[in-house]
Amino acid sequence: MREITVLPEFKKGEIAFKGIPLFQHNTTLKKELDRTVSEKEAVRLFESMLYIREFEEMIIKLKSKKFTPFDGFQFIGATHLSIGQEAVATGTMSALHADDYITSTHRGHGHSIAKVLFRIYSMTRDELVSFLDVPGSGESDDSLLEQAVSLHLFKTMAELFGKEEGYCRGRGGSMHIADFHSGHLGANAIVGGSMAIAAGAGLCSHFLKSNKVVACMVGDGAANNGICHESMNFTAMPQFGAGFPVIFIFENNQYGMSGQQSGEVAGVKYLSRRGVGFNEQNMHARTESGMHVLAVRNAVLEAAGICRKGSGPVLLEFKTYRYAGHSLSDKRMTYRTAEEEEEWLKFDPLLLYKKELLDNKVMTESSIDDLANKVKNMVEEVTIKAANASDPAPGSISEGLFSSTTSEGLGDKHRTLKTFKEPKKFRRDSGGRILYRHAVIEGLMEEMERDDRVILYGEDVAEYGGAFQATVGLYDIFGRNRVFNSPISESAIIGTALGSAMTGLRPVAEIMYIDFILMTGDQLGNQVAKTKYMFGGKAKIPLVIRTTIGGGKGYAGQHSQSLEVFPAQFPGLKVVIPYTAYDVKGLLKTAIRDDNPVFFIEHQHLYVEKGVVPEEEYTIPFGKGIVRREGKDITLVSYSHQLKACIEAAGILEKEDSVDVEIVDPRTLVPLDVDMIVGSVNKTGRAVVVVQAPGRGSFGEHIINKIQEHAFESLKGPVKLISAYEVPPPMSAPLERENLPDAAKIVKNIREMMAI
Ligand SMILES: Cc1ncc(C[n+]2csc(CCOP(=O)(O)OP(=O)(O)O)c2C)c(N)n1
Ligand SMILES: [Mg+2]
């Protein structure tokens, strides 16, 4: 029974919105010196902005060859500079704790520089020594700190140059820098792409009660992207009593690439207004100056406080301006005027803050010059060092794609101590069998008991038990903090699962029909699949995405597709597609223990099939297929529900034609048990592959390619693909029957192949 009832209520009235504060943090250094910053910290704010400015200016010099680390040096890659926006990065990062999280954007050099810089500033001597990975004895604290900053800038520049010693081993470059040790969950070159990841990190912080805040840095352009709205809504869900501790920070530099927010592509002048739509508190939204570092810092301090009190999320908009073009090839004068630029230059964050430092006698002209020279020299030094650093070895290209670790051997460390109801195994029939969907539930239940970091969410998975009843009862056992209904936000389901997997949970996310995976294209293909490799192979992503295939039920084009090839297209995902109740349980348990993202495909027709499932603990390794039927005349490769028709066809062929069919089921598509398939084809000399999907570009074609590549010599004839037609699944029963490969079609094809 639901705790929340929705009674009819039609009382006349008006919805009143609370006001949204505009530029109310108009503070001064004088005030803050008494309240929130020491003189040392005040200088560091300036130093951080100088590092960012100098770093970005260096990119311009490198690109225009005004600075050449060595003869013939070529700067390649993206150049989205944050000159003009230094106060946003610095103010924000200085207000966070060292272990708080951030996500960042294509214009993220400033975020990365400042996030790690402020972590370094907060380090003890021992931490500095460990960061530097040197003995460090005899060095002064200041010297260690300088070395740490230099190393940090070097790793940042080296990443821009695609070097092995860069933050991400040259796999990410300018637009994809991350440093998980510093809570930097990654810059993202997909506008808005990081927002659900941030929401997921917030979910994890909330569930693990780690008190960590997530600052999600995005440009104004992201405010109009679907994932933005899904993510903000996700963090504001009231079902946990409080939203998640995420600060969405819109760094509003007025433009997308050239598209202008105000008056052109957004109907609101202030993006903070968007906060009104997500919870009754307006997400505590406010708009502040992004040119005044102390205003930014104060707003983020306040927002972090709100989040740590359990009253997040928060939306902050900082009005700022990028002085350079969108990229260095951008013709910015085609879309903005010199007058506009001049006006904004009067608000240069470095000049504004420099004046405050001088006025308050925190620094003098000469100490400012000294600092600026130190910063300039350091940036030049690290640039030369980074340019001369080694490139990744070409042979290392595949390193960092998958983690080799699992949660096997966990013992009782994370065993669930409290359940709301006794977990119980399903009763077996006299043959020891249970339903496939019960095997799914049992697998989930056992893994959730074994590891309290495993959570399950998706649409309707809680009290209702999932659209196909494959999660029934789990909510009653584990409660809302482990099993919950998500909004109908497929992208956010996947993206938050990624963010929470990166930060300490082991989520199982459910997408009701595989057709809806197309809603999640970016989160699945650009985020989940790439996060480990692109950020230098360092992330662990223990994440399972469960979904279902249907077909044959008259549900037509958008609920009947067999899209297993889609996830298999993205290196970085494992793809599992079990046929029996035994397999579904064993493989699901393996998937949940794996430290990599696993795309797990169940079949709606199989949910109600029974199979023998032992009560004792077992798992099934990935990449190990199974011979479903031994035979000597022809190999039939298939998987999931399609195997049923194959087995029926094999029976007919044996009986009527004395053809002995061997049926092999790879069970996992990535990794694929090529050896098993090839071994079988080498034995029989013939092969047919059967898939439920249309043939063009299907996974069946990939299997055929592997057969041609590795078993060509053994083949007595061409390999045949039996698949659906090249049409969207039709609704009409006769049309759908015609579309799907059934036993009769398989028999017919095999008879033709064998000239019977
Ligand atoms: C989803 C997506 N669409 C388009 C682009 C191409 N693109 C890269 S940056 C950019 C502008 C982004 O504007 P904004 O979010 O305001 O960030 P800013 O560049 O101003 O920092 C565009 C359109 C992209 N990277 N991702
Ligand atoms: Mg912008």
Side-chain angles (χ1 to χ4, degrees):
M1 255 298 276
R2 288 253 183 197
E3 310 117 56
I4 310 159
T5 51
V6 194
L7 299 173
E9 196 188 292
F10 306 107
K11 220 163 88 198
K12 187 173 174 180
E14 207 174 52
I15 300 172
F17 298 102
K18 277 199 305 190
I20 295 174
L22 276 185
F23 308 115
Q24 292 188 6
H25 270 302
N26 205 359
T27 189
T28 60
L29 180 56
K30 189 169 167 39
K31 276 194 232 161
E32 299 310 322
L33 280 171
D34 294 335
R35 276 179 357 116
T36 61
V37 287
S38 65
E39 290 207 355
K40 192 171 177 182
E41 285 165 338
V43 173
R44 282 178 169 171
L45 293 175
F46 191 57
E47 188 177 53
S48 165
M49 292 200 286
L50 278 175
Y51 277 125
I52 299 171
R53 172 94 28 122
E54 200 58 50
F55 188 94
E56 300 290 51
E57 299 275 6
M58 176 55 86
I59 313 288
I60 299 179
K61 286 187 237 166
L62 288 167
K63 189 88 180 170
S64 59
K65 301 208 184 297
K66 293 214 171 79
F67 185 91
T68 40
F70 58 77
D71 274 354
F73 176 83
Q74 284 285 348
F75 181 85
I76 59 159
T79 51
H80 303 100
L81 307 182
S82 56
I83 299 175
Q85 302 179 207
E86 297 87 348
V88 179
T90 296
T92 300
M93 304 312 156
S94 74
L96 298 176
H97 294 174
D99 62 352
D100 283 338
Y101 295 116
I102 68 158
T103 60
S104 167
T105 69
H106 59 284
R107 200 175 301 290
H109 303 162
H111 308 147
S112 302
I113 289 172
K115 176 66 170 118
V116 183
L117 194 61
F118 281 95
R119 175 176 166 234
I120 292 172
Y121 288 151
S122 76
M123 283 180 181
T124 60
R125 184 182 172 84
D126 285 350
E127 285 167 343
L128 284 169
V129 168
S130 132
F131 180 82
L132 286 165
D133 206 12
V134 289
S137 60
E139 305 251 13
S140 71
D141 288 5
D142 283 350
S143 155
L144 288 174
L145 190 120
E146 292 284 287
Q147 288 177 51
V149 174
S150 171
L151 176 63
H152 162 46
L153 292 179
F154 162 72
K155 282 162 93 170
T156 310
M157 193 61 91
E159 189 54 41
L160 261 68
F161 296 166
K163 300 292 186 177
E164 178 69 27
E165 288 166 84
Y167 266 117
C168 305
R169 299 188 65 199
R171 267 73 171 163
S174 158
M175 295 193 288
H176 309 288
I177 292 183
D179 179 27
F180 302 124
H181 295 297
S182 303
H184 184 345
L185 299 179
N188 214 301
I190 303 298
V191 172
S194 65
M195 297 185 81
I197 299 169
L203 179 157
C204 180
S205 170
H206 179 86
F207 279 21
L208 296 183
K209 299 188 173 48
S210 69
N211 207 28
K212 292 186 190 181
V213 165
V214 189
C216 173
M217 314 299 295
V218 281
D220 44 284
N224 302 325
N225 203 306
I227 190 67
C228 167
H229 300 267
E230 289 192 16
S231 306
M232 295 207 293
N233 180 62
F234 202 96
T235 55
M237 286 189 291
Q239 62 176 313
F240 305 106
F244 300 143
V246 181
I247 314 171
F248 293 102
I249 297 183
F250 286 98
E251 200 166 356
N252 185 351
N253 61 9
Q254 321 298 329
Y255 294 93
M257 215 165 99
S258 70
Q260 205 164 345
Q261 285 305 319
S262 194
E264 189 173 18
V265 301
V268 294
K269 186 167 175 197
Y270 296 104
L271 294 174
S272 50
R273 207 185 236 270
R274 296 275 169 85
V276 174
F278 294 103
N279 65 13
E280 304 293 334
Q281 296 79 36
N282 295 357
M283 291 178 75
H284 309 279
R286 56 171 59 236
T287 293
E288 281 304 332
S289 163
M291 304 311 252
H292 296 80
V293 67
L294 294 169
V296 174
R297 184 178 148 84
N298 277 1
V300 177
L301 278 172
E302 182 185 78
I306 292 171
C307 286
R308 286 191 225 283
K309 249 184 17 216
S311 305
V314 177
L315 192 170
L316 297 177
E317 177 192 25
F318 292 121
K319 290 275 192 192
T320 179
Y321 200 74
R322 66 164 152 73
Y323 289 151
H326 167 74
S327 65
L328 288 185
S329 52
D330 174 20
K331 300 184 283 297
R332 65 184 200 273
M333 286 307 157
T334 58
Y335 59 86
R336 63 193 209 185
T337 64
E339 296 77 47
E340 180 182 295
E341 290 195 352
E342 246 167 60
E343 285 306 308
W344 279 96
L345 279 168
K346 292 179 191 158
F347 290 86
D348 180 334
L350 274 88
L351 294 184
L352 292 179
Y353 191 58
K354 180 178 163 181
K355 185 169 178 324
E356 294 229 58
L357 289 168
L358 291 171
D359 289 351
N360 288 283
K361 302 200 175 6
V362 176
M363 294 187 85
T364 61
E365 286 284 2
S366 89
S367 67
I368 286 179
D369 285 349
D370 288 349
L371 184 61
N373 279 334
K374 181 192 84 173
V375 167
K376 186 166 179 289
N377 290 338
M378 191 186 285
V379 170
E380 285 182 1
E381 259 168 41
V382 300
T383 303
I384 293 168
K385 197 171 148 208
N388 286 292
S390 36
D391 292 320
S396 72
I397 188 164
S398 298
E399 284 176 19
L401 184 63
F402 285 120
S403 171
S404 57
T405 58
T406 70
S407 73
E408 291 296 342
L410 181 68
D412 283 339
K413 193 161 163 229
H414 282 282
R415 185 159 291 284
T416 297
L417 299 176
K418 178 173 178 281
T419 54
F420 296 89
K421 201 176 152 197
E422 181 77 11
K424 267 210 206 110
K425 296 235 156 54
F426 286 90
R427 184 167 323 134
R428 272 61 184 163
D429 69 9
S430 54
R433 302 178 318 157
I434 57 173
L435 293 175
Y436 182 100
R437 72 177 174 83
H438 288 168
V440 172
I441 297 172
E442 247 186 38
L444 287 166
M445 188 175 72
E446 287 176 15
E447 291 308 299
M448 292 183 78
E449 270 190 282
R450 175 182 172 274
D451 189 339
D452 62 9
R453 298 166 301 175
V454 180
I455 60 166
L456 167 73
Y457 64 96
E459 291 155 24
D460 313 299
V461 300
E463 296 95 325
Y464 189 76
F468 303 104
Q469 302 290 281
T471 59
V472 170
L474 295 171
Y475 173 83
D476 296 333
I477 299 170
F478 297 102
R480 190 182 292 281
N481 272 2
R482 304 280 305 279
V483 182
F484 66 89
N485 287 338
S486 72
I488 303 171
S489 305
E490 283 76 9
S491 286
I493 294 171
I494 301 298
T496 52
L498 171 59
S500 64
M502 287 168 76
T503 52
L505 292 174
R506 304 183 72 88
V508 179
E510 180 172 315
I511 299 290
M512 200 184 280
Y513 284 76
I514 201 167
D515 310 71
F516 311 156
I517 262 311
L518 298 183
M519 299 285 291
T520 77
D522 173 55
Q523 295 301 310
L524 184 72
N526 282 325
Q527 313 298 340
V528 173
K530 299 192 171 73
T531 288
K532 184 171 176 60
Y533 184 82
M534 195 168 73
F535 294 133
K538 283 168 261 170
K540 271 191 189 166
I541 308 172
L543 156 61
V544 181
I545 299 163
R546 290 179 45 244
T547 190
T548 73
I549 291 179
K553 301 191 294 186
Y555 279 23
Q558 297 165 345
H559 282 68
S560 314
Q561 297 166 93
S562 193
L563 293 175
E564 66 278 10
V565 75
F566 182 66
Q569 282 290 332
F570 300 107
L573 299 178
K574 297 187 177 180
V575 182
V576 182
I577 189 156
Y579 173 53
T580 64
Y582 177 84
D583 282 0
V584 83
K585 181 175 174 188
L587 288 165
L588 184 55
K589 285 165 71 74
T590 303
I592 293 171
R593 294 178 190 193
D594 201 304
D595 281 340
N596 297 287
V598 180
F599 196 92
F600 197 90
I601 307 170
E602 297 157 21
H603 202 292
Q604 292 154 26
H605 294 319
L606 296 175
Y607 278 135
V608 289
E609 302 265 327
K610 275 187 168 180
V612 175
V613 177
E615 290 197 33
E616 300 73 43
E617 163 95 12
Y618 69 95
T619 56
I620 299 173
F622 289 170
K624 283 264 160 269
I626 189 165
V627 178
R628 294 271 169 221
R629 183 188 200 279
E630 290 204 23
K632 57 179 177 19
D633 296 330
I634 185 165
T635 298
L636 200 161
V637 190
S638 192
Y639 46 79
S640 190
H641 180 248
Q642 198 56 64
L643 280 163
K644 220 176 155 187
C646 296
I647 292 166
E648 193 187 333
I652 297 169
L653 286 161
E654 178 176 38
K655 202 158 135 222
E656 297 182 9
D657 307 285
S658 301
V659 172
D660 195 5
V661 180
E662 175 143 307
I663 300 177
V664 296
D665 169 10
R667 304 198 282 198
T668 63
L669 304 184
V670 184
L672 182 65
D673 191 347
V674 176
D675 287 351
M676 176 196 68
I677 296 168
V678 168
S680 174
V681 178
N682 280 338
K683 183 174 86 177
T684 62
R686 290 184 204 277
V688 58
V689 181
V690 187
V691 294
Q692 189 185 319
R696 189 172 59 230
S698 65
F699 199 83
E701 286 194 343
H702 173 68
I703 293 175
I704 290 174
N705 180 43
K706 290 288 163 204
I707 295 172
Q708 311 275 22
E709 199 180 330
H710 299 288
F712 187 74
E713 310 278 288
S714 316
L715 287 172
K716 296 177 192 148
V719 185
K720 178 102 194 167
L721 177 66
I722 305 176
S723 62
Y725 284 74
E726 303 295 332
V727 296
M731 185 268 157
S732 136
L735 289 181
E736 197 173 27
R737 263 199 305 280
E738 175 63 21
N739 194 35
L740 296 174
D742 60 5
K745 266 188 225 159
I746 298 166
V747 167
K748 181 169 173 285
N749 273 281
I750 291 181
R751 280 180 182 153
E752 278 167 19
M753 284 172 76
M754 305 198 62
I756 296 168

